[in-house]
Amino acid sequence: MKKPSHSEKTVLKKTKTDDKSIFIRWRFYLIVAFVLVAFSALVGRVAYIQIIQPDNLIHQGDLRSVRAKTLPSARGIITDRNGEPLAVSVPVEAVWADPATIIKKDELKDVKRWYALADVLGLNRKGLIRKIEKNKTRRFVYLQRQVNPAMAKYVRELKLSGIGLKAESKRYYPSGEISAHLVGVTGIDGHGLEGVERSYDKWLTGEPGKQVIRKDRYGRVVENISLDKRQEGKNLELTIDQRLQALAYRAVKQAAADHRATSASAVMIDVKTGAVLAMVNAPSYNPNNRSDLQSYKMRNRVITDSIEPGSTVKPFVVLAALENGVANKDTIIDTGNGILRIGGSRVRDVSPVGKASLQKILQKSSNIGVTKLALRMPIESLLSMYNSVGLGEVSGLNLVGETAGIFPTRRRWSKFEIATLAFGYGLAVTPIQLAHAYATLGNLGKYQPIHIIENNQEDLSHQVADKKYARQVLDYLETVTQPGGSAIRAAVPGYRIGAKTGTSRKATAGGYSDEYVALTAGVAPISNPRVALVVVINEPQGDQYYGGQVAAPVFSKIMKGALQILNVTPDENKFQK
């Protein structure tokens, strides 16, 4: 084997020397140390994230993939006693925008399509553009709520990026303005604002459900995490009869127009059960048209407006006198020449009655006659009778806005104050309270709580007056609608009708104004009372403003139709016009 030459030995020696100079130990250890530190930091960070604080990472991941979807519950249907729908929910859609996406994709450059969107939604064209530009960082903005299917279809066909539709429901009222005051109306969010819709909102609404899902980057559902089932709203059946409701509404609306009255109201109650059969007011409003929701139209005057009842309380004065033993069927009251002085004041009759029985006092509506009856008994007895039949207390219908009226309480009463109380001044009641009082009288003195929702609670009815005396007053009340009576226009051919008219001047600051309230209240048929009805005409204009002229004909029209609709057998009304 050949040995390396001298020159080759020199080259090998230099190579070994260079390799030794390239490998520097401390540098190697330094690099290894850096690697170990970096690795330790990464391991520590992973341990911190995974073990010490894992929730934050899970939370961040959920924000990007987990979505919660509300499952709205359908609002319950409101019906009348016969199952006729008064309020139903219909499917509609809401149009919403994603301004951030619209701006990012520069969708606003195609102005014509955006103008078309504004036109179909009934929005200002430039206002729509400004709204999107103003909220350019937001991801959700409502453009229009409760859009009908035809409009929603048009919006879809526009195919605008960043515009979406969301399913929701809208309340529809088939009866329109006829039952508006009683049924009420819901807001844009589906919750009740007035009437039954508000009072029973929780019952009708139910509980919405919730679905939690996980989506991937492409928006596909990859996991169903949880599902809370929704509880649908419960249906509600009212005691009113839509046929009677429509009949009464047409009558009061026509009366308000004929007499140019500020308003007109009517309420009908089932004497035997206390169920409200009809409750109407004019003017009314259309709950399907939100532009028609004006406060003066939306007042349910049957429960909100207090009025002095005038002569309509006189039957209860007679009933109180019989109950307290200060009068009987043979009692004769001398009303003199039609003027009675009490202190420095006078009580007048429209026409002199002379010596009158209890029946004639009611028939002729004698102020002096009921005044003398009231003065014969303690004032507490009269007030107790008023209160026991439902005057001066809320009805218990659970409707928003109801007032209790004004029921006087004094330590001392002058004789004239007692007199005014006897012919319906000095106290204020609502039409529903007056109807309740007449229903109690028609039920032969048995007080039955009134209601608009059927329930199975305990029986709270109780006797507040002797049946014999209540029957006696009902017979007297029938003569008021017969020849010579003050409510002859309230009569219904073929039926025995008991009714009392009333006319009261409206109170104002310091006294009474020149405006009047005309009333007629009564029950029918007298042989076996089925319904109680009260009609109120507020501020009739013109020469006719008495209850017997204005309210009595409306009472007759409503009562006639109601008795026929309810199939009440005629009870041989011998009175012929």
Side-chain angles (χ1 to χ4, degrees):
M1 180 181 232
K2 186 179 177 182
K3 294 182 179 180
S5 63
H6 178 73
S7 59
E8 290 173 339
K9 289 180 178 179
T10 304
V11 172
L12 290 170
K13 187 176 180 181
K14 287 182 177 181
T15 301
K16 289 178 179 180
T17 305
D18 291 341
D19 291 341
K20 188 176 180 181
S21 63
I22 289 173
F23 180 77
I24 302 174
R25 191 176 296 276
W26 69 271
R27 287 182 179 178
F28 172 74
Y29 290 138
L30 182 62
I31 292 171
V32 170
F34 273 119
V35 171
L36 290 173
V37 169
F39 182 74
S40 299
L42 289 173
V43 171
R45 179 61 178 166
V46 170
Y48 178 78
I49 292 174
Q50 295 283 1
I51 300 172
I52 299 175
Q53 199 181 42
D55 294 339
N56 183 52
L57 192 62
I58 295 171
H59 176 67
Q60 293 297 326
D62 289 346
L63 288 177
R64 291 162 176 77
S65 62
V66 175
R67 296 291 180 266
K69 182 181 179 181
T70 300
L71 305 175
S73 60
R75 193 171 178 84
I77 298 173
I78 301 175
T79 66
D80 77 343
R81 66 194 297 127
N82 301 312
E84 288 294 320
L86 303 177
V88 296
S89 293
V90 295
V92 291
E93 296 187 76
V95 181
W96 59 273
D98 179 355
T101 299
I102 294 170
I103 298 298
K104 182 179 179 181
K105 293 186 177 182
D106 196 21
E107 284 288 325
L108 293 177
K109 62 183 179 182
D110 191 356
V111 177
K112 289 184 179 180
R113 288 201 297 163
W114 290 96
Y115 284 173
L117 177 65
D119 291 343
V120 74
L121 297 181
L123 303 174
N124 181 273
R125 290 180 169 184
K126 293 184 178 179
L128 174 62
I129 303 296
R130 285 195 301 268
K131 185 173 184 177
I132 293 172
E133 291 176 339
K134 184 179 178 181
N135 298 281
K136 59 184 178 181
T137 60
R138 297 181 62 181
R139 300 302 305 271
F140 185 92
V141 174
Y142 275 121
L143 296 183
Q144 190 65 279
R145 303 286 300 275
Q146 299 186 346
V147 171
N148 64 52
M151 294 169 64
K153 181 181 178 182
Y154 185 85
V155 172
R156 284 192 186 91
E157 291 176 350
L158 287 174
K159 295 181 180 178
L160 291 166
S161 295
I163 297 297
L165 293 116
K166 178 183 177 184
E168 56 182 13
S169 64
K170 179 182 180 181
R171 207 66 164 160
Y172 174 66
Y173 302 92
S175 60
E177 62 184 18
I178 293 174
S179 300
H181 292 107
L182 179 60
V183 177
V185 67
T186 58
I188 195 73
D189 59 353
H191 288 286
L193 299 178
E194 294 288 340
V196 170
E197 290 276 30
R198 179 172 175 180
S199 299
Y200 296 89
D201 185 61
K202 190 174 181 180
W203 175 273
L204 292 164
T205 302
E207 292 292 336
K210 184 179 180 182
Q211 184 181 22
V212 181
I213 58 176
R214 191 182 300 277
K215 292 184 176 183
D216 64 10
R217 60 181 296 185
Y218 301 108
R220 297 174 301 196
V221 178
V222 295
E223 181 185 5
N224 289 310
I225 298 174
S226 66
L227 175 63
D228 295 333
K229 292 184 178 180
R230 58 191 170 193
Q231 296 179 6
E232 301 293 356
K234 301 179 184 68
N235 295 338
L236 197 63
E237 182 180 300
L238 305 184
T239 61
I240 67 168
D241 188 317
Q242 186 59 20
R243 299 170 300 173
L244 301 179
Q245 192 82 356
L247 167 70
Y249 178 70
R250 286 194 297 268
V252 298
K253 184 178 181 180
Q254 187 63 50
D258 290 344
H259 298 283
R260 292 173 287 129
T262 303
S263 65
S265 304
V267 56
M268 184 183 297
I269 296 175
D270 187 315
V271 167
K272 305 299 183 183
T273 66
V276 177
L277 299 176
M279 182 187 293
V280 296
N281 301 274
S284 186
Y285 66 98
N286 184 359
N288 298 308
N289 180 9
R290 297 199 173 275
S291 63
D292 198 32
L293 304 186
Q294 298 169 294
S295 59
Y296 81 97
K297 289 183 177 181
M298 296 175 72
R299 276 169 55 193
N300 187 355
R301 299 171 187 271
V302 170
I303 63 170
T304 63
D305 287 15
S306 297
I307 53 174
E308 289 182 305
S311 296
T312 56
V313 299
K314 289 177 180 176
F316 304 102
V317 179
V318 175
L319 182 59
L322 292 170
E323 281 281 322
N324 286 274
V326 298
N328 56 50
K329 64 179 181 179
D330 299 320
T331 298
I332 300 296
I333 302 293
D334 186 3
T335 64
N337 62 355
I339 299 176
L340 175 67
R341 293 181 180 275
I342 301 179
S345 302
R346 294 180 179 179
V347 176
R348 297 176 181 269
D349 281 339
V350 175
S351 58
V353 179
K355 293 182 178 181
S357 64
L358 298 183
Q359 173 265 319
K360 193 172 183 180
I361 286 172
L362 279 185
Q363 185 185 36
K364 297 297 185 181
S365 194
S366 170
N367 291 336
I368 296 175
V370 292
T371 293
K372 288 192 172 184
L373 287 175
L375 292 175
R376 286 185 178 186
M377 57 183 142
I379 182 61
E380 292 77 18
S381 298
L382 180 59
L383 292 176
S384 177
M385 176 55 69
Y386 283 173
N387 187 250
S388 65
V389 296
L391 303 182
E393 64 177 22
V394 292
S395 66
L397 294 180
N398 192 30
L399 294 176
V400 178
E402 181 175 0
T403 59
I406 301 173
F407 202 73
T409 54
R410 294 187 178 92
R411 294 184 64 183
R412 293 184 178 180
W413 290 81
S414 70
K415 289 185 177 182
F416 186 71
E417 287 172 338
I418 297 173
T420 57
L421 202 62
F423 49 81
Y425 282 85
L427 78 160
V429 301
T430 58
I432 190 69
Q433 290 173 345
L434 189 58
H436 193 185
Y438 271 80
T440 302
L441 178 62
N443 202 22
L444 297 181
K446 188 177 183 180
Y447 177 94
Q448 187 79 257
I450 58 175
H451 56 277
I452 55 171
I453 307 293
E454 293 291 355
N455 57 68
N456 297 318
Q457 295 179 356
E458 60 180 319
D459 183 10
L460 298 177
S461 61
H462 55 278
Q463 202 72 31
V464 297
D466 190 288
K467 289 183 179 181
K468 179 180 68 175
Y469 297 137
R471 178 76 261 173
Q472 194 172 327
V473 173
L474 284 173
D475 290 338
Y476 295 160
L477 206 57
E478 181 184 6
T479 65
V480 184
T481 63
Q482 295 176 349
S486 58
I488 189 171
R489 294 187 182 182
V492 176
Y495 292 93
R496 296 174 60 193
I497 306 296
K500 187 73 190 74
T501 61
T503 309
S504 62
R505 295 177 64 181
K506 298 197 73 173
T508 186
Y512 287 90
S513 68
D514 293 329
E515 298 291 348
Y516 292 85
V517 177
L519 307 95
T520 298
V523 297
I526 287 297
S527 59
N528 182 23
R530 287 283 305 279
V531 293
L533 173 65
V534 168
V535 174
V536 179
I537 311 296
N538 184 28
E539 297 181 4
Q541 304 300 308
D543 295 333
Q544 293 189 337
Y545 53 84
Y546 286 108
Q549 297 172 321
V550 177
V554 183
F555 177 97
S556 176
K557 184 185 297 185
I558 297 174
M559 185 63 82
K560 178 181 178 180
L563 293 173
Q564 292 174 348
I565 289 172
L566 296 174
N567 293 319
V568 178
T569 304
D571 55 348
E572 299 180 2
N573 184 357
K574 297 178 182 179
F575 162 51
Q576 298 291 331
K577 287 187 177 181

